[in-house]
């Protein structure tokens, strides 16, 4: 297939580019400031904030399917408007879209959230992701929207870097004990997104791990995997900070997991220390 990865130089985007290329697909990948280094990939500059740029890039590459993994947390225009620009561009060439969303669209007031739950965001980023979902569904009713959670894997994620920095005494900050998510391995998430793309699926999907963990509990698992001392990780409560956002958001992925071939592992499994 001819696949375009938007945000292809990011953490998730890079995993998608590698997987799609290894699977034999014709891959294009966009970047904002610096292209990736994987050979055989068409690296394309794109600022999704520009509707004209989105239309030009998608129109020139003409993908059968586009996967939107672009990520700028503090930028409403990139997150919300950018998703609409891409949906319009994809609709113009007659392709399909897999849009990556987030558990940030939920407030955390419910015990768990399945694919039928209505977004009720409590911070600007969650509101932007919810607006993006609305735009994508309005422009492309046949799009697949994949809500995910904290993405971990291969030691390269921001959370893993923070844990190593804190355990070594080099970083500032704490790991919250009251901020709970359902972490997913980047390789599992990329495989699930590619599966949705290849199968031409539509609708809402929840793609996260089955283990609900606080950021501190997750940090302990990362430290143990990396041979670091978990006791050195400083703790704190998000409730004691001015940070806006949900505290405890647990994605219920039961329905999605039944329909996917790829198995979504929990953090306790994929972060277990290597066997000697």
């Amino acid at each position: 297939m001819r696949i375009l990865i938007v945000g292809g130089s990011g953490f998730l985007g890079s995993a998608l580019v590698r997987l799609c290329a290894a699977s034999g697909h014709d891959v294009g990948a966009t970047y904002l400031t610096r292209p990736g280094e994987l050979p055989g990939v068409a690296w394309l500059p794109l600022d999704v904030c520009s509707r004209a740029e989105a239309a030009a890039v998608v129109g020139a590459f003409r993908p059968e399917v586009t996967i939107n993994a672009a990520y700028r947390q503090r930028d409403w225009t990139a997150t919300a408007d950018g998703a609409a620009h891409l949906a319009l561009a994809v609709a113009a060439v007659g392709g399909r879209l897999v849009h990556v969303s987030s558990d940030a669209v939920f407030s955390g007031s419910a015990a768990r959230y399945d694919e039928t739950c209505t977004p009720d965001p409590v911070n600007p980023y969650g509101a932007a992701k919810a607006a993006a979902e609305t735009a994508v569904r309005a422009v492309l009713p046949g799009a697949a929207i994949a809500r995910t959670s904290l993405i971990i894997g291969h030691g390269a994620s921001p959370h893993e870097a923070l844990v190593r920095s804190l355990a070594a005494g080099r970083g500032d900050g704490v790991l919250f004990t009251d901020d709970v998510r359902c972490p997913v391995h980047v390789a599992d998430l990329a495989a699930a997104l590619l599966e949705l793309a290849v199968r031409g699926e539509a609708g809402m999907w929840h793609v996260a791990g089955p283990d609900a963990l606080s950021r501190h509990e997750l940090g302990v698992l990362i430290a143990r995997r990396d041979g670091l001392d978990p006791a050195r990780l400083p703790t704190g409560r998000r409730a004691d900070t001015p940070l806006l956002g949900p505290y405890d958001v647990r994605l219920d992925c039961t329905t999605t997991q039944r329909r996917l071939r790829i198995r979504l592992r929990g953090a306790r499994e994929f972060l277990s220390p290597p066997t000697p």
Side-chain angles (χ1 to χ4, degrees):
M1 295 181 64
R2 194 165 175 82
I3 300 177
L4 178 65
I5 310 299
V6 178
S9 59
F11 179 51
L12 172 58
S14 296
L16 278 164
V17 169
R18 290 191 298 270
L19 178 61
C20 291
S23 301
H25 298 289
D26 184 5
V27 182
T30 76
Y31 65 93
L32 181 61
T33 57
R34 186 173 60 185
E37 299 178 353
L38 191 68
V41 173
W43 291 99
L44 309 167
L46 171 62
D47 184 350
V48 295
C49 294
S50 168
R51 180 175 174 179
E53 281 191 35
V57 169
V58 174
F61 190 74
R62 300 194 72 82
E64 295 171 72
V65 61
T66 298
I67 304 177
N68 180 17
Y71 173 82
R72 271 192 267 172
Q73 190 170 33
R74 293 175 177 83
D75 190 332
W76 175 282
T77 302
T79 302
D81 296 351
H85 296 160
L86 285 169
L88 289 166
V90 170
V93 302
R96 301 195 310 274
L97 176 65
V98 177
H99 174 76
V100 181
S101 189
S102 168
D103 57 7
V105 301
F106 297 121
S107 68
S109 60
R112 296 190 74 84
Y113 293 90
D114 67 18
E115 294 84 350
T116 67
C117 291
T118 301
D120 59 341
V122 293
N123 68 355
Y125 176 62
K129 293 299 277 187
E133 290 185 4
T134 299
V136 167
R137 296 175 80 173
V139 175
L140 287 171
I145 297 175
R147 293 177 181 141
T148 191
S149 190
L150 195 59
I151 307 172
I152 303 295
H154 306 311
S157 70
H159 195 75
E160 289 166 282
L162 174 62
V163 169
R164 287 194 298 271
S165 176
L166 292 175
R170 296 192 305 267
D172 295 324
V174 298
L175 297 179
F176 295 134
T177 58
D178 59 348
D179 188 330
V180 176
R181 297 295 186 271
C182 296
V184 64
H185 196 285
V186 67
D188 294 352
L189 177 56
L193 294 172
L194 180 56
E195 184 177 335
L196 294 175
V198 170
R199 286 166 45 179
E201 296 287 358
M204 192 65 66
W205 303 74
H206 280 188
V207 188
D211 296 337
L213 301 169
S214 72
R215 289 182 184 264
H216 176 254
E217 290 171 324
L218 180 61
V220 168
L221 293 177
I222 292 169
R224 287 174 177 165
R225 180 203 61 185
D226 294 347
L228 304 172
D229 182 4
R232 300 195 63 182
L233 298 175
T235 63
R237 295 195 320 145
R238 184 168 183 161
D240 297 329
T241 76
L243 292 174
L244 294 174
Y247 289 90
D248 189 332
V249 181
R250 306 177 188 224
L251 291 184
D252 184 342
C253 305
T254 306
T255 299
T256 291
Q257 183 63 93
R258 280 201 301 262
R259 300 173 64 190
L260 287 176
R261 298 185 185 95
I262 179 69
R263 185 174 69 86
L264 301 168
R265 296 168 293 165
R268 292 187 179 90
E269 177 181 350
F270 65 71
L271 288 174
S272 60
T275 303

